[in-house]
Amino acid sequence: MNINQIAPRMATCLVCLCLTAPVYAQLPAMPAKTSNSAPAEAAQQPADSTVAQLDAATAATAKGDNAATAAALETSAMALEKEAAQSSAGEFKDKLSGQTGKLKALIPLAKSGMLKGDVLTKAIGFVKTALAANRLSRLMGGGGGLVGKASLLTGGLNLMKGGLGGIGGSALSGGSSLIDGALGSVGKLGSMGSAAEPAVKNQLGGVLNFAKGLL
């Protein structure tokens, strides 16, 4: 094949490329793949900022940071008051408000550096217990079944257990066994469904009665 035969073919190819290039330019871009590795419910479970502030107050006291302790207590108290206000009338709403008032009374001591760590730990233990009891009570009285509330119930029970740890003594020893029993029953909601609810309600009732007497 000589040069005179090659030249016309090259010209034809160039014309074809020019005609098809705009077509490819107009094709829609393929959407990028999105990852589904993170479960959707993870985004629906925000961290408990109220409890985090209570823990921050404890940590600041251990470091001797009076200003940070007072600030964390003030933030905690506001959040606790808001949660109590959003609760329906009931004894645990009142108990939460009462424990919040006692916590607020410690703020001037924290600012002056007179607040002792063991006093704060015990006060926060009572606040956490009241907060957990109020939340559990609301979950039980909110209507509907408990099957879809298993994670919230577990969170409330563990919060109360942590609160009892701060109180210590017979409160911890007596309440822990009740909470462990309730956690065991709640754990069966996933496998047994509504059939496990009577046992769960019975166990939770025992936990709340205990908290009522303690607070």
Side-chain angles (χ1 to χ4, degrees):
M1 183 178 294
N2 57 39
I3 190 65
N4 294 328
Q5 294 173 316
I6 294 174
R9 293 187 179 185
M10 291 180 64
T12 302
C13 290
L14 288 172
V15 172
C16 291
L17 287 172
C18 291
L19 290 173
T20 55
V23 176
Y24 286 111
Q26 295 174 16
L27 289 175
M30 292 296 290
K33 273 191 173 183
T34 56
S35 172
N36 294 324
S37 57
E41 56 268 20
Q44 299 173 359
Q45 297 179 357
D48 193 329
S49 59
T50 304
V51 176
Q53 285 298 318
L54 291 169
D55 292 338
T58 302
T61 301
K63 295 177 182 177
D65 192 336
N66 299 330
T69 300
L73 288 176
E74 287 172 343
T75 303
S76 301
M78 286 189 292
L80 290 164
E81 287 174 338
K82 182 178 180 180
E83 183 156 341
Q86 292 174 344
S87 303
S88 57
E91 57 191 328
F92 287 112
K93 173 181 179 175
D94 296 338
K95 291 184 182 299
L96 177 58
S97 296
Q99 294 300 328
T100 301
K102 293 178 181 179
L103 189 71
K104 289 177 68 176
L106 300 179
I107 295 175
L109 292 175
K111 290 180 177 179
S112 65
M114 299 294 290
L115 180 59
K116 294 182 179 180
D118 57 343
V119 173
L120 178 61
T121 297
K122 198 161 190 175
I124 287 178
F126 277 107
V127 167
K128 285 184 176 181
T129 302
L131 179 61
N134 187 57
R135 289 178 178 178
L136 290 170
S137 179
R138 290 174 66 184
L139 287 170
M140 290 183 68
L146 298 178
V147 175
K149 303 174 183 177
S151 63
L152 295 174
L153 292 170
T154 299
L157 289 166
N158 283 326
L159 174 58
M160 186 180 291
K161 194 171 185 178
L164 295 178
I167 298 170
S170 59
L172 176 60
S173 58
S176 291
S177 58
L178 291 172
I179 292 173
D180 288 340
L183 285 169
S185 295
V186 170
K188 295 177 183 177
L189 286 171
S191 58
M192 297 177 59
S194 58
E197 287 195 12
V200 172
K201 290 179 179 179
N202 183 59
Q203 295 276 9
L204 290 175
V207 170
L208 291 178
N209 283 333
F210 174 83
K212 189 189 306 181
L214 179 66
L215 297 169

